């Protein structure tokens, strides 16, 4: 294939696949054509999975997939297939698990070599063109794989079958809900991994993993373990002050390459923004946690400014690279800053934000300082001192060439962002956030639906719609639940219940007491129908569904939903025993399942001044395992008719506002003043312990 010609990806809609449409590699999209050709030509399939904003995906593309020599080797040895992991997380999930089994690790780009029957016999992540850094290069690997395919086919196929057998091992789902000792053990494991000096867990590279922080906040609140809260809050502060956080335009980069949170991998993913904002919002409390509230607002400001589509949905990501270099858009030279701000302010800004003449970023190969600086807050500096300076620098940065944007609108990631915005609106009292969440939810409900009403995973231009997977149902339902608690509009609760019923009907496996990742009948092009119980960069669909089922069951009085949530919890112990830290949101679900139900119902006239006062009083308390409902007159937006019989009975057609609380399997007398609400809720749970 000649350089500059278009391969079979030219007709795709995915931004990632289109980035590779002019490669000399003869790429196929995932589909029967590729595997039929592999069988006919008796060739293995070379599968490369990545995404459009992935730095190391770009590196491998520039080194190998755009290189005539390497492309010729690939085309001669394999049928080559490209997959966008955001477009097809079902394919990525199967083969990432293969990589983890075969190599003990994973990541992107994901490289798999498989038989024409889709059975893997080689797995890796990034592979350089030529051997270096202890990694064998593609130009050496390809001839070796060809030789093995020719001379040791029987062994290859036997090993591939063995890997498939491990993948297909069933999950037992008849266990009991794990007990307190497991939660305590999980906290202990995170405490052992905690970096006391810089916050976060483990050594470099450091990933945000906000759902671990959410578990710690909730565990600390329930157990009175102040150390858990301190670890979570200190980690949030360290990330906000570090280079992993964009100090000018806000938003969180993908991960830190060092343990100090200084130099990030510069891509920005929608799901990271959503989960980080959720954790910061949950850490906020009036009087002692305002900085976390500011962090949450800043993250959401970035998303609403730079990732929001005109129709209200949210784009998937922004690239790490611009003008062919990672981080170029975000890095600064000291002289540039002093020139823009003037010598006095410029010198003070550079001192506050760690900017040096020699730079604070090292070249990846030579480890020498480059003169480039990533901005981070040094010492105890307060960013509010430099508000005008940051505005000037942000304006100047805006004239640079921006990183590419991946403008796919994914149902699952939008669900997480809707949840963050709605939670932020309720806790921070910002009506603009709930308006943005409502608009995004309306967009998904109106456009990301098939003719039969089922959800779709992704829409972009004229792209053929892709059916939704478990993550889409679980995360979007999460968003709808948060949106209901922020607005009490019964339409959101009704939509959450309808999607949950459809989710159970199409994804539930009674044998394993867990949810499949794909809908029944939609695994024809995959090795097997996968279940995911472990959390990754985002919570697993099963852990998110467990929390959704508990909340919806308690809101509506549907004990069957609570029972199903407990069955999911019972399916987890085998996974949890070896991977406690990788099950943080599942652990939060187990924590919730072990809590006695707590329902708070605001009954009366929606929007009245007295109702708003009661609502504001109720929202001052951190009660993560309580559900809160609004019960209004017939025909009002808060009308719960047919949805929540237990709460509906409290509605007061006379229009007076009252709060009804049922906790610990008993109901309290209704109260009607903010002071009474405070007194009542104060005793329902320990408030978070401030960081010492």
């Amino acid at each position: 294939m000649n350089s500059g010609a278009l391969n079979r990806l030219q007709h795709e809609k995915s931004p990632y696949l289109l980035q590779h449409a002019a490669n000399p590699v003869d790429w196929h999209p995932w589909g029967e054509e590729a595997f039929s050709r592999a069988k006919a030509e008796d060739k293995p399939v070379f599968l490369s999975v990545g995404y459009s904003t992935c730095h190391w995906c770009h590196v491998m593309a520039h080194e190998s997939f755009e290189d005539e020599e390497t492309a010729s080797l690939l085309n001669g040895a394999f049928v080559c297939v490209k997959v966008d992991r955001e477009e097809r997380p079902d394919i990525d999930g199967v083969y990432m698990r293969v990589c983890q089994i075969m190599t003990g690790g994973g990541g992107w780009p994901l490289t798999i070599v498989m038989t024409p029957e889709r059975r893997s016999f080689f797995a890796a992540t990034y592979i350089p063109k030529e051997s270096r850094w202890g990694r064998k290069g593609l130009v050496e690997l390809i001839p070796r794989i060809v030789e093995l395919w020719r001379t040791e086919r029987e062994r290859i196929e036997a090993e591939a079958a063995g890997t498939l057998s491990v993948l297909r091992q069933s999950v037992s789902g008849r266990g009991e809900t794990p007990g307190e000792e497991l939660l305590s053990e999980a906290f202990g494991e995170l405490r052992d991994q905690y970096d006391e000096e810089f916050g976060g867990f483990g050594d470099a590279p450091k990933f945000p993993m906000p759902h671990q922080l959410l578990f710690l906040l909730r565990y600390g609140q329930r157990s009175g373990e102040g150390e858990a809260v301190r670890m979570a809050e200190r980690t949030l502060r360290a990330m906000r002050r570090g280079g992993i956080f964009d100090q000018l335009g806000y938003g969180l980069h993908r991960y830190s390459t060092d343990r100090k949170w200084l130099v990030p991998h510069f891509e920005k993913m929608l799901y990271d923004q959503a989960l980080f904002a959720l954790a910061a919002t949950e850490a906020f409390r009036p009087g002692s946690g305002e900085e976390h509230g500011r962090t949450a607002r800043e993250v959401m400001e970035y998303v609403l400014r730079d990732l929001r589509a005109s129709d209200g949905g949210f784009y998937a990501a922004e690239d790490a690279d611009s003008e062919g270099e990672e981080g170029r858009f975000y890095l600064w030279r000291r002289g540039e800053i002093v020139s823009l701000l003037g010598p006095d302010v410029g010198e003070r800004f550079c001192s506050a934000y760690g900017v040096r003449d020699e730079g604070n970023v090292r070249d990846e190969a030579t480890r020498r300082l480059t003169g480039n600086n990533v901005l981070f807050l040094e010492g105890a500096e307060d960013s509010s001192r430099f508000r005008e300076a940051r505005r000037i620098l942000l304006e100047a940065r805006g004239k640079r060439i921006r990183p590419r944007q991946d403008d796919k609108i994914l149902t699952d990631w939008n669900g997480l962002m809707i949840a963050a915005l709605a939670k932020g609106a309720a806790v921070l009292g910002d009506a603009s956030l709930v308006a943005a969440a409502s608009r995004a939810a309306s967009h998904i409900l109106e456009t990301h639906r098939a003719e039969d009403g089922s959800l779709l995973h992704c829409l972009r231009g004229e792209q053929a719609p892709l059916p939704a997977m478990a993550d889409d149902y679980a995360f979007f339902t999460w968003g709808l639940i948060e949106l209901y608690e922020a607005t009490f509009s019964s339409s959101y609760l009704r939509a959450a219940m309808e999607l949950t019923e459809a989710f159970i009907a199409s994804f539930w496996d009674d044998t394993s007491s867990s949810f499949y990742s794909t809908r029944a009948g939609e695994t024809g092009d995959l090795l097997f129908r996968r279940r995911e119980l472990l959390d990754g960069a985002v919570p697993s669909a099963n852990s998110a569904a467990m929390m959704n089922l508990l909340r919806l069951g308690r809101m509506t009085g549907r004990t069957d939903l609570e029972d199903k949530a407990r069955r999911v919890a019972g399916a987890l112990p085998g996974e949890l025993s070896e991977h406690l830290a990788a099950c943080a949101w599942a652990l939060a679900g187990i924590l919730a399942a072990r809590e006695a139900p707590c329902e708070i119902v605001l009954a009366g006239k929606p929007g009245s001044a007295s109702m708003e006062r009661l609502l504001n009083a109720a929202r001052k308390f951190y009660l993560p395992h309580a559900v809160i409902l609004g019960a209004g007159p017939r025909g009002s937006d808060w009308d719960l008719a047919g949805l929540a019989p237990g709460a509906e009975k409290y509605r007061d057609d006379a229009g007076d506002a009252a709060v009804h609380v049922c906790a610990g399997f008993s109901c309290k007398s209704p109260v009607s003043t903010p002071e009474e609400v405070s007194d009542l809720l104060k005793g329902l749970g320990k408030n978070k312990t401030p960081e010492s």
Side-chain angles (χ1 to χ4, degrees):
M1 192 169 194
N2 294 325
S3 180
L6 293 174
N7 56 43
R8 290 169 172 82
L9 301 182
Q10 63 182 294
H11 302 299
E12 297 299 303
K13 298 297 181 184
S14 156
Y16 177 64
L17 298 186
L18 290 172
Q19 285 175 13
H20 294 271
N23 289 172
V25 178
D26 187 13
W27 292 116
H28 292 66
W30 180 275
E32 190 53 44
E33 178 188 341
F35 293 99
S36 295
R37 180 184 165 194
K39 288 177 185 175
E41 298 180 10
D42 192 30
K43 286 182 175 180
V45 172
F46 179 92
L47 171 66
S48 177
V49 183
Y51 55 103
S52 68
T53 60
C54 166
H55 169 67
W56 285 103
C57 300
H58 298 329
V59 172
M60 192 166 174
H62 296 324
E63 288 180 346
S64 298
F65 303 149
E66 296 170 9
D67 175 73
E68 293 282 356
E69 176 193 1
T70 316
S72 178
L73 287 170
L74 286 165
N75 293 337
F78 309 116
V79 172
C80 299
V81 174
K82 259 285 174 198
V83 166
D84 180 343
R85 69 110 172 176
E86 296 167 359
E87 185 179 64
R88 291 298 304 267
D90 51 341
I91 298 170
D92 175 64
V94 167
Y95 290 102
M96 186 59 71
R97 183 66 180 135
V98 167
C99 186
Q100 290 164 344
I101 289 171
M102 295 180 74
T103 71
W108 297 277
L110 173 63
T111 306
I112 298 286
V113 182
M114 66 180 83
T115 70
E117 291 75 35
R118 299 174 172 83
R119 297 180 179 183
S120 314
F121 61 88
F122 174 86
T125 53
Y126 162 77
I127 304 174
K129 178 188 173 183
E130 295 173 338
S131 299
R132 64 177 184 275
W133 303 322
R135 293 171 180 250
K136 194 171 287 294
L138 267 180
V139 293
E140 297 173 62
L141 272 172
I142 294 169
R144 177 61 180 152
I145 291 173
V146 169
E147 177 66 14
L148 291 173
W149 182 253
R150 186 178 64 82
T151 62
E152 298 188 34
R153 179 79 64 88
E154 187 174 329
R155 180 178 66 81
I156 282 174
E157 293 185 341
E159 289 178 358
T163 301
L164 179 58
S165 177
V166 172
L167 287 167
R168 283 178 167 163
Q169 285 177 359
S170 62
V171 177
S172 173
R174 297 295 177 182
E176 296 295 321
T177 302
E180 291 289 334
E181 64 281 357
L182 188 74
L183 298 170
S184 176
E185 187 181 340
F187 165 61
E189 184 174 306
L190 286 168
R191 184 177 52 199
D192 290 344
Q193 296 173 10
Y194 180 65
D195 183 338
E196 190 63 49
E197 187 175 1
F198 297 108
F201 305 95
D203 208 334
K206 270 187 181 170
F207 289 82
M209 302 300 283
H211 32 307
Q212 291 182 339
L213 307 183
L214 285 164
F215 165 71
L216 287 171
L217 289 167
R218 294 182 177 206
Y219 178 78
Q221 185 270 348
R222 183 176 182 273
S223 66
E225 179 57 75
E227 178 71 3
V229 177
R230 189 186 71 84
M231 286 160 54
E233 292 197 346
R234 188 157 186 271
T235 298
L236 282 168
R237 289 189 183 96
M239 285 194 285
R240 169 58 185 86
R241 297 175 66 82
I244 192 173
F245 194 84
D246 180 357
Q247 299 293 334
L248 299 181
Y250 305 145
L252 196 72
H253 296 297
R254 182 65 197 93
Y255 65 83
S256 175
T257 61
D258 56 85
R259 63 179 284 235
K260 299 179 182 180
W261 304 108
L262 173 59
V263 180
H265 185 39
F266 285 92
E267 66 196 276
K268 289 180 174 178
M269 315 300 295
L270 180 63
Y271 61 80
D272 280 325
Q273 315 311 317
L275 292 168
F276 189 58
L278 278 166
T281 299
E282 196 144 319
F284 166 78
R285 59 188 180 279
S288 57
E290 282 91 346
E291 63 184 307
H292 301 307
R294 287 196 299 273
T295 296
R297 287 187 182 94
E298 288 166 350
V299 173
M300 292 185 279
E301 179 182 327
Y302 157 68
V303 171
L304 294 175
R305 183 188 65 232
D306 291 343
L307 292 182
R308 181 162 52 170
S310 59
D311 53 21
F314 299 104
Y315 296 140
E318 286 194 300
D319 209 326
D321 298 14
S322 57
E323 301 182 74
E325 295 180 24
E326 185 185 8
R328 180 164 183 168
F329 181 73
Y330 299 100
L331 297 175
W332 294 87
R333 300 244 171 200
R334 192 172 189 278
E336 185 182 8
I337 290 174
V338 173
S339 175
L340 286 164
L341 299 181
D344 181 38
V345 176
E347 294 288 347
R348 286 189 287 113
F349 183 92
C350 288
S351 177
Y353 281 88
V355 177
R356 299 172 176 84
D357 285 328
E358 67 274 19
N360 59 30
V361 176
R362 295 182 182 275
D363 179 79
E364 229 161 21
T366 67
R367 305 309 299 158
R368 291 176 182 166
L369 290 168
T370 61
N372 288 323
N373 292 272
V374 63
L375 303 182
F376 71 100
L377 279 165
E378 271 200 311
E381 277 293 347
D382 182 358
S383 63
S384 63
R385 287 182 56 209
F386 295 99
R387 189 173 289 111
E388 178 61 14
R390 286 188 287 108
R391 186 198 65 77
I392 291 169
L393 294 179
L394 181 63
E395 184 178 316
R397 194 180 78 177
K399 296 173 183 175
R400 299 175 180 176
I401 296 174
R402 287 192 69 90
R404 263 188 309 246
Q405 194 173 64
D406 188 323
D407 60 358
K408 293 193 303 294
I409 295 180
L410 303 170
T411 298
D412 50 351
W413 297 3
N414 270 254
L416 290 175
M417 197 66 232
I418 291 164
L421 289 164
K423 175 72 84 175
V427 173
L428 305 174
D430 189 337
S432 68
L433 300 180
V434 82
S438 298
R439 190 162 178 242
S442 295
H443 171 71
I444 299 296
L445 287 168
E446 291 166 9
T447 64
H448 284 222
R449 306 292 284 270
E451 289 184 5
D452 63 0
S454 62
L455 281 178
L456 299 174
H457 170 61
C458 172
L459 285 177
R460 183 177 185 269
E462 298 176 2
Q463 174 186 20
L466 296 167
M469 285 156 264
D471 284 5
D472 297 297
Y473 279 89
F475 296 165
F476 186 54
T477 299
W478 184 354
L480 291 172
I481 294 170
E482 296 292 354
L483 199 44
Y484 171 73
E485 288 201 340
T487 65
F488 300 133
S489 174
S490 58
S491 62
Y492 295 125
L493 182 55
R494 196 175 304 279
M497 288 296 291
E498 289 172 355
L499 288 176
T500 296
E501 296 285 6
F503 180 48
I504 292 169
S506 296
F507 292 82
W508 177 253
D509 176 43
D510 203 55
T511 301
S512 68
S513 295
S514 60
F515 291 94
Y516 284 111
S517 297
T518 51
R519 198 162 65 168
E522 290 177 351
T523 54
D525 60 353
L526 296 176
L527 280 170
F528 66 103
R529 198 174 176 205
R530 187 174 62 98
R531 303 177 192 88
E532 188 59 73
L533 294 172
L534 298 180
D535 296 337
V538 296
S540 74
N542 274 285
S543 58
M546 176 173 34
M547 190 74 81
N548 292 345
L549 290 165
L550 280 169
R551 295 174 73 184
L552 290 173
R554 290 171 179 178
M555 285 177 168
T556 63
R558 288 276 302 274
T559 57
D560 60 313
L561 299 183
E562 285 196 68
D563 290 343
K564 213 167 227 74
R566 289 191 174 87
R567 287 188 62 186
V568 175
L572 288 168
E575 300 285 339
L576 285 167
S577 62
E578 297 181 12
H579 306 283
L580 278 175
C583 298
W585 196 240
L587 290 163
I590 291 167
L591 195 63
R594 295 188 60 80
E595 283 281 293
C598 177
E599 297 91 25
I600 302 168
V601 181
L602 289 97
K605 185 179 179 182
S608 68
S610 56
M611 181 64 76
E612 290 301 308
R613 285 193 292 271
L614 295 184
L615 181 57
N616 290 336
R619 283 182 170 156
K620 287 179 181 176
F621 290 87
Y622 180 61
L623 298 167
H625 301 127
V627 296
I628 182 167
L629 299 100
R634 292 276 187 196
S636 73
D637 199 33
W638 290 19
D639 185 358
L640 290 171
L643 275 174
E648 185 192 359
K649 68 185 179 186
Y650 293 126
R651 78 171 183 277
D652 187 350
D653 292 325
D656 293 331
V659 175
H660 301 258
V661 175
C662 292
F665 305 102
S666 67
C667 295
K668 318 299 180 186
S669 298
V671 295
S672 56
T673 69
E675 294 75 19
E676 290 174 318
V677 171
S678 295
D679 289 342
L680 185 58
L681 298 184
K682 199 176 293 180
L684 293 184
K686 300 180 182 71
N687 287 314
K688 290 175 288 185
T689 304
E691 180 174 359
S692 56

